[in-house]
């Protein structure tokens, strides 16, 4: 995932997660959930979250990836995504599923590096597009996306139907 081309930042290291990282990835996914609007619409299921993480961690790298951000040996951030077919054009699209950085480590160049590594992964697997999600109220994050070349294309709406 482009990690061989980048020099680690002095205080952070980045690497592709493995099955041995399941609990750390789960813990960060849970923190993401608790801080997100999903906490008001989705019932949290430890079993389901771990099942999906296992799918990501065991999938071939051209299908899914989880990249960890470490402060020394301590995981303090991650980005996870999947590669899927694009309905409207040739090529696939890498879609971010979760991007989490522990609050004390946000607003650092390292947290942006997670985004750049995800984009590198998308290029390496031949995806034509990289899709990131945001909440409209997170104006600083939205400006970041626009500053590195992302453009708002649609908003999504959620309705429980089952």
């Amino acid at each position: 995932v482009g990690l061989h081309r980048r020099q680690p930042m002095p205080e952070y290291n980045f690497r592709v997660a493995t099955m041995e990282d399941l609990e750390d990835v789960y813990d960060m996914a849970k923190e993401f959930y608790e801080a997100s609007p999903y906490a008001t619409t989705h019932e949290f299921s430890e079993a389901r979250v771990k099942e999906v993480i296992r799918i990501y961690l065991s999938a071939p790298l051209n299908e899914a990836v989880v990249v960890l951000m470490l402060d020394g040996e301590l995981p303090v951030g991650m980005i996870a995504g999947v590669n899927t077919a694009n309905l409207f054009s040739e090529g696939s699209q890498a879609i971010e599923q979760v991007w989490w950085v522990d609050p004390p480590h946000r607003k650092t160049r390292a947290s942006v590096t997670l985004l750049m590594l995800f984009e590198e992964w998308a290029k390496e697997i031949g995806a034509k597009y990289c899709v990131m999600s945001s909440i409209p109220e997170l104006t600083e994050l939205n400006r970041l996306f626009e500053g590195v070349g992302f453009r708002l294309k649609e908003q999504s709406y959620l309705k429980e139907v089952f």
Side-chain angles (χ1 to χ4, degrees):
V1 181
L3 300 179
H4 57 281
R5 291 191 295 254
R6 289 195 182 271
Q7 291 297 318
M9 303 180 104
E11 64 273 71
Y12 298 103
N13 291 303
F14 301 88
R15 67 174 172 79
V16 174
T18 67
M19 203 59 78
E20 293 174 3
D21 299 306
L22 175 68
E23 291 300 323
D24 291 325
V25 172
Y26 167 79
D27 289 344
M28 288 185 282
K30 186 174 181 186
E31 287 183 75
F32 171 87
Y33 167 84
E34 290 169 351
S36 77
Y38 294 111
T40 63
T41 59
H42 293 64
E43 185 176 331
F44 189 83
S45 165
E46 178 178 347
R48 176 64 180 163
V49 172
K50 286 185 176 179
E51 174 187 358
V52 173
I53 292 169
R54 280 188 195 92
I55 291 168
Y56 292 172
L57 295 177
S58 63
L61 264 181
N62 67 333
E63 293 177 10
V65 71
V66 179
V67 177
L68 291 180
M69 173 177 151
L70 301 125
D71 183 359
E73 295 292 315
L74 180 67
V76 295
M78 69 164 173
I79 192 165
V82 297
N83 185 32
T84 186
N86 184 307
L87 179 63
F88 302 112
S89 66
E90 293 295 319
S92 61
Q93 53 191 12
I95 301 176
E96 168 253 343
Q97 300 293 301
V98 61
W99 179 23
W100 174 260
V101 176
D102 289 347
H105 301 275
R106 293 180 188 166
K107 297 184 181 182
T108 67
R109 181 73 191 133
S111 61
V112 175
T113 299
L114 275 174
L115 173 60
M116 298 296 106
L117 289 172
F118 184 71
E119 194 172 328
E120 279 187 30
W121 169 73
K123 290 176 188 174
E124 287 178 9
I125 62 169
K128 187 170 183 175
Y129 300 100
C130 189
V131 181
M132 298 296 293
S133 300
S134 181
I135 300 164
E137 295 79 22
L138 296 179
T139 55
E140 196 170 330
L141 179 59
N142 298 331
R143 280 194 303 271
L144 168 68
F145 285 146
E146 291 173 1
V148 296
F150 286 84
R151 298 294 171 249
L152 180 63
K153 291 298 173 188
E154 69 177 89
Q155 292 182 339
S156 59
Y157 294 85
L158 178 71
K159 177 181 178 182
E160 189 171 341
V161 296
F162 183 78

